Amino acid sequence: MAENKLPEEEKNTRSLNFIEEIIEEDNRIGVYNGRVHTRFPPEPNGYLHIGHAKSICLNFGLGKKYNGKTNLRFDDTNPVKEDTEYVDSILEDVKWLGFDWEDRLFYASDYFGQLYDYAVILIRKGKAYVCDMTAGEIGETRGSPTRPGSESLFRSRSVEENIDLFTRMRLGEFPDGAKVLRAKIDMASPNMHMRDPVLYRILHTSHHRTGDQWCIYPMYDFAHGQSDSIERITHSICTLEFEVHRPLYDWFIREIGIYSPRQIEFARLNVTYTIMSKRKLLELVRDGNVSGWDDPRMPTICGLRRRGFTPASIRNFADIIGVAKRDNVIDVSLLEFCIREDLNKSANRLMAVLNPVRIVIDNYPDDLVEDMESVNNPEDESKGKRKLPFSKSLFIEREDFMEEPPNKFFRLAPGREVRLKAAYIIRCESVAKDPETGEIIEIHCTYDPQTRSGMPESNRKVKGTLHWVSEKHAVKAEIRLYDRLFTIENPDDPENGKTYKDYLNPDSLRISSAMIEPTVKNAVILDKYQFERTGYFSVDKDSTPENLVFNRVVPLKDSWSKVEKVK
Ligand code: ATP
Ligand code: MG
């Protein structure tokens, strides 16, 4: 990704993506009378991730663009894996991303009665039957893509017998797995999904919304399209793996004889160095590889939020990557680019020293404290200025000093001058070391009082400018530095015999501390700052006024792509 920005105009005049083309053509010929009504249909069996964010931005974005509507619908057909904890988190995440479903929050479980009636319609038409085979037997008789399946012995049951059995399935007369309702389509179809798919299974399990009202539950495929139809969705946008389900989607709607939405598939978002499967993300949480769904290393929306990502940065990311028809993998550095771009404009600056070494200004009065002024955000004058206390003893970054520097080292070294940002030019006079370890414990400097802003020498040229914090005013904070959760670009595609877990990065979290200027005392959870010269940081939820905790959102520069280019 080039460093240059996507100009606003380009966004507005950009050519239509293929979904917009379909919608505009439908509108032109009046398929849905110009109506555009999309939906975002999560299954509440996990927390949303950046891939879902892409789908949310796409669906709600199309609703907005075409003056249409977008529903939020929970496809909650599997009581075994679903939970209200997930429902609540999904509602929170969609809202946080900045989208509004208004009064259109729906649940497929609200349609269980209607879906049951649709199944009865299919039975009466001779298009569905009750089958007594076990799940294993059904699997074995399905055949393979190159070999037709064989028909169930129960396929020829009469309509009356099927109605009777289906009614009794609903009444709870049979145990789990004893019977299923199947569509009667074609066991020789080249499309495996058309080989008499299961519509209903028996599950004596409470549902998070319908309780014990039902002991049979519709399969996802049977619930999803019909729910779209009930809600009069126009364009039902889903990911590519559903392309092969489309004939079935259309078959149900046609055979039941109801309003027909149009299913359109796009490529799911994959991002390098992470995984997107809810099942695997759940495993990471359950196995304690991360601290929870909102661990700042997770690709979940709540993880990204806790890390310090903003809704605008995620929306911008979704916009830049566009929609594709073919599977692809997006470089995570593009997401990092988006948050840097946003925080550069919106985050105030702070001086924070991550790896401190003390400097003592020998010619500075012992007890003097001067307030230096510094701009809060050079990109936004309206953010004003703040005062930084300056005193005799200060911290700078250990890396900003070298005793025997190479030529190109423009920071502090014996006999050399640097500017302390918003303060004075100082010169290094000597170094004090620990006699045992040889480690530098103090750097002695002198300052030039004429170099403060507004003084005659303030514009004097020196090669380096350093950030600093006054020792006695510094606030110590915990700093959590994150690296990629996985060590390879595509942990979902491991080498033979390995799994994604073999590629967990043992150094993905490093805890350290920093000395920060006193303004930081006012910081509250989720506040974001640019620590001058080091990166963007956000206050973690573990933070207390006594013990501030910061997450590094991203380093200031894209050090990764540079490192990789050099190799
Ligand atoms: P599952 O394996 O549990 O079905 P899922 O990721 O498909 O996982 P859903 O809750 O069914 O989860 O997804 C809700 C919506 O988000 C669907 O329309 C799905 O197509 C879309 N979606 C899911 N993952 C991605 C992704 N990586 N990129 C884009 N859209 C996605
Ligand atoms: Mg799904």
Side-chain angles (χ1 to χ4, degrees), residues 358-405:
R358 176 184 298 120
I359 60 172
V360 179
I361 319 262
D362 291 328
N363 62 338
Y364 195 84
D366 283 353
D367 297 320
L368 182 62
V369 175
E370 288 180 281
D371 277 334
M372 303 294 170
E373 257 197 348
S374 193
V375 288
N376 284 326
N377 187 342
E379 304 282 318
D380 182 355
E381 230 178 88
S382 72
K383 294 279 170 64
K385 294 182 174 176
R386 68 185 187 289
K387 296 208 160 78
L388 286 169
F390 186 89
S391 66
K392 188 179 179 82
S393 179
L394 311 163
F395 291 123
I396 63 165
E397 299 285 351
R398 204 164 266 279
E399 295 83 56
D400 283 341
F401 176 80
M402 273 184 99
E403 215 176 353
E404 289 164 22

Side-chain angles (χ1 to χ4, degrees), residues 40-43 45 49 51-52 55 239 266 268-269 276 278:
F40 173 65
E43 188 186 349
N45 62 353
H49 53 57
H52 295 114
S55 173
T239 42
F266 74 104
R268 65 170 50 232
L269 167 66
M276 225 58 107
K278 279 194 270 189

